[in-house]
Amino acid sequence: MSIFLYSFQTAIKNLWCEKWINILTMLTIAVGLLILGTFVLITLNMNSSLKRWSKGFGLVVYLEENLSSDKADFLKEYFQKDSEVVDIKYISKEAALKELKQTLGTTTQILEGFEENPLPSSFELKLKREVLDPVRIKQKAIQIEKLSGVEDVQYGEKWLSSLNTMTMGMKIIVVLLGSVIFVAIAFSTYSTIKILFYRRIAEIETLKLLGATRAFIRFPFLLEGIFIGTLGGVVGFLGLSVIYYFTTAKIIEFMPLVGGTIIFFPPETYLAAPVAGAVMSLIGSFFAIGKIRY
């Protein structure tokens, strides 16, 4: 306990005595974690958007003209047995035309040239989110299109493929960026601790003559690295919070519907940035004092 108390007091004292280099290192860590947190937050919002949009995503199965009620009932029963379909909605020709007129509003005169209802009957199929993979959806659409009585199957193929590609791309960027920032923070702390170690070489030599162990001498540097990383994580998280709330407020001001859907990290993850900063700095500090021979 006495070793820990001495190391704690020494680390706090050294943080203040060498405050400028420690502040510079802390800000470096804060900026790195802020950048990483920004990309993680963007990825979380993309996943959140995908979840919201996927609730209304599905296949539109257009039926052949003058399809008998028996065949329509057969298709409905077929879709009901499909475990990947969570909701089925039948839209008759008349209902489709009425919906189109409501959508067109005052421009419904474009339909006056048609003597008969040009719209087909259809089924709208809502699918489970787990199957919203572009390849899987395309295979299902081809399978349904081969059924008797089906004229065509449509879905947001390009939209779904683009959104999945963007989400996957962001996840890869987060992993790569996280790796780079991890190395950068560890190296930054590594360099700082080595500099501070050599600045105190006279004090360390005195401790050695008094019989201090290697652990006794090195432990304050490890604690100092942890403190620097933790403070950097706190500053980085606070900076990200300010940017988020400022940006969200501006988006809500101009696009209320979009701004209201932007999410932030849940409260249980607030300690992630300080802990990440502490761990990365600890690793850098450990390697720094491990390379020093005295």
Side-chain angles (χ1 to χ4, degrees):
M1 182 64 182
S2 58
I3 295 178
F4 178 81
L5 183 60
Y6 163 79
S7 300
F8 183 84
Q9 293 174 342
T10 302
I12 296 296
K13 181 185 71 174
N14 291 334
L15 280 173
W16 177 253
C17 292
E18 303 289 350
K19 54 182 173 294
W20 297 117
I21 188 172
N22 287 327
I23 288 174
L24 181 61
T25 306
M26 180 195 69
L27 291 177
T28 301
I29 294 171
V31 171
L33 291 176
L34 188 150
I35 294 172
L36 178 60
T38 300
F39 278 89
V40 172
L41 195 57
I42 292 172
T43 304
L44 286 176
N45 276 278
M46 289 181 67
N47 278 328
S48 176
S49 298
L50 180 60
K51 288 180 180 179
R52 290 195 306 272
W53 293 338
S54 64
K55 292 179 180 179
F57 183 86
L59 301 174
V60 180
V61 182
Y62 293 105
L63 306 181
E64 293 178 350
E65 186 72 19
N66 300 320
L67 186 70
S68 66
S69 58
D70 291 340
K71 283 191 175 181
D73 291 339
F74 169 80
L75 288 172
K76 184 176 182 179
E77 185 178 353
Y78 175 86
F79 296 140
Q80 288 174 338
K81 292 179 180 179
D82 192 333
S83 60
E84 296 179 347
V85 177
V86 295
D87 186 49
I88 304 169
K89 181 180 179 182
Y90 174 74
I91 301 177
S92 64
K93 292 167 58 71
E94 294 74 18
L97 182 61
K98 182 179 179 180
E99 184 176 338
L100 179 60
K101 288 181 178 180
Q102 291 176 346
T103 303
L104 292 175
T106 57
T107 60
T108 53
Q109 62 269 19
I110 64 175
L111 298 175
E112 294 176 358
F114 295 97
E115 296 181 359
E116 297 182 359
N117 184 352
L119 301 178
S121 302
S122 63
F123 282 105
E124 287 187 357
L125 309 180
K126 298 293 187 298
L127 305 178
K128 291 182 178 178
R129 184 179 180 276
E130 294 77 13
V131 303
L132 295 186
D133 174 80
V135 176
R136 196 167 175 179
I137 293 294
K138 186 175 183 179
Q139 291 175 346
K140 177 170 283 293
I142 294 173
Q143 180 183 0
I144 293 176
E145 199 169 358
K146 293 179 180 179
L147 296 174
S148 176
V150 175
E151 180 68 27
D152 189 22
V153 179
Q154 292 187 6
Y155 64 100
E157 180 179 7
K158 292 183 178 180
W159 172 85
L160 181 62
S161 179
S162 298
L163 190 59
N164 274 273
T165 301
M166 288 175 59
T167 304
M168 184 59 65
M170 285 300 301
K171 290 179 180 179
I172 293 173
I173 289 174
V174 166
V175 172
L176 294 177
L177 187 63
S179 302
V180 171
I181 290 176
F182 173 83
V183 174
I185 290 176
F187 180 76
S188 177
T189 310
Y190 173 93
S191 302
T192 301
I193 295 300
K194 285 193 70 174
I195 292 171
L196 297 179
F197 189 95
Y198 284 117
R199 283 188 179 182
R200 303 171 201 158
I201 194 66
E203 178 186 342
I204 291 170
E205 290 296 332
T206 302
L207 290 172
K208 287 171 60 180
L209 292 175
L210 293 175
T213 63
R214 293 166 67 88
F216 187 85
I217 294 172
R218 293 184 175 197
F219 196 51
F221 293 97
L222 294 177
L223 280 181
E224 192 168 346
I226 293 174
F227 291 155
I228 293 171
T230 302
L231 290 173
V234 171
V235 172
F237 180 77
L238 291 176
L240 181 62
S241 301
V242 171
I243 292 173
Y244 166 79
Y245 287 111
F246 177 79
T247 304
T248 304
K250 289 297 182 182
I251 293 176
I252 290 176
E253 183 179 345
F254 294 101
M255 294 181 292
L257 294 178
V258 176
T261 62
I262 299 176
I263 63 172
F264 193 62
F265 295 108
E268 58 268 21
T269 64
Y270 286 179
L271 293 178
V275 171
V279 171
M280 294 176 187
S281 295
L282 176 62
I283 293 173
S285 304
F286 182 80
F287 279 103
I289 61 176
K291 292 290 183 180
I292 297 172
R293 297 290 180 263
Y294 58 92

